[in-house]
Amino acid sequence: VFLRSNGLIPLLCGAKSVGCYADQVLADFEYVCSRGLSQGSVWPFVVIKHFLGPKELAAVLTRTAINIHPCFYDAYGMTLVESAAFGVPSIVNNGGKVGAVSLLGSGKGCIDIDLERILEYHDDKKSNDCCYGSGIEELKTLISKSSRKGSHESRVLGAVAEEARSRALNWDEMTCFRSLVAYLNKINADS
């Protein structure tokens, strides 16, 4: 109900690599998207079950308001950089270890929120009882107030999106190469 009242449509996309895991993620996503609705009501959500090529990804990201990257650990987190390239701010797990956060800048090119315990729902899916962690109110405030033009949250998200976009688009092969050479020089000099 909250996302619908703020004009947001949840999107889950990606190719299925581990069948039982992907099936569970999809079932949980569909359950959460239909929770609290009366029988027969439909709340729009989108599931894309294949790898997105550049044009499809661009079409999705040009209509994306916020990217939520909830994992606590991710070697790189390419969706953060892809979103940043289109000026989409990302929410990341405060205290998590996601490689792309180093590039984008924690608190600069992404927004840190405690997502670790944001929502724990009971295994009894017939119950609508939920236990919300400390980050849920912060996330809901950010989402609801960011849609108001001129609000503090709107300005914060805009600044984060612009910083992320700049950092993502300025990291190219030559910058990577120069960084690698600098690291190798430092390692070699320290020996």
Side-chain angles (χ1 to χ4, degrees):
V1 176
F2 173 79
L3 293 175
R4 182 175 38 178
S5 68
N6 283 279
L8 298 173
I9 299 171
L11 167 71
L12 177 67
C13 59
K16 192 187 228 185
S17 61
V18 179
C20 60
Y21 171 75
D23 292 340
Q24 185 62 53
V25 168
L26 180 58
D28 287 350
F29 182 74
E30 289 174 343
Y31 167 73
V32 168
C33 289
S34 62
R35 224 178 100 235
L37 297 176
S38 60
Q39 187 99 17
S41 292
V42 177
W43 177 34
F45 61 90
V46 177
V47 176
I48 300 172
K49 297 180 181 181
H50 60 273
F51 177 80
L52 297 174
K55 288 181 181 178
E56 270 186 299
L57 183 60
V60 166
L61 291 175
T62 56
R63 295 187 321 248
T64 299
I66 297 175
N67 175 43
I68 299 178
H69 194 81
C71 62
F72 202 68
Y73 298 103
D74 191 344
Y76 189 66
M78 191 62 184
T79 61
L80 297 174
V81 179
E82 291 166 337
S83 296
F86 284 87
V88 176
S90 288
I91 308 293
V92 296
N93 204 338
N94 188 20
K97 305 287 185 216
V98 178
V101 173
S102 296
L103 170 66
L104 300 176
S106 177
K108 295 179 179 127
C110 349
I111 296 172
D112 298 318
I113 293 182
D114 180 9
L115 299 174
E116 184 66 12
R117 294 174 299 128
I118 202 162
L119 176 62
E120 298 167 356
Y121 63 89
H122 303 285
D123 287 335
D124 175 12
K125 292 187 178 182
K126 294 177 184 164
S127 169
N128 281 339
D129 297 334
C130 291
C131 303
Y132 295 102
S134 61
I136 192 67
E137 290 307 318
E138 186 179 358
L139 182 59
K140 286 173 76 173
T141 298
L142 181 67
I143 290 171
S144 63
K145 290 186 176 179
S146 66
S147 62
R148 298 181 202 147
K149 291 191 181 215
S151 71
H152 170 72
E153 290 78 8
S154 175
R155 289 191 304 275
V156 166
L157 275 182
V160 167
E162 190 52 43
E163 179 69 20
R165 187 171 197 279
S166 172
R167 288 176 181 233
L169 295 179
N170 285 323
W171 186 261
D172 58 12
E173 288 89 0
M174 187 53 76
T175 306
C176 180
F177 173 73
R178 287 183 185 134
S179 178
L180 177 61
V181 168
Y183 286 127
L184 291 174
N185 280 331
K186 179 155 179 47
I187 288 170
N188 199 29
D190 290 345
S191 299

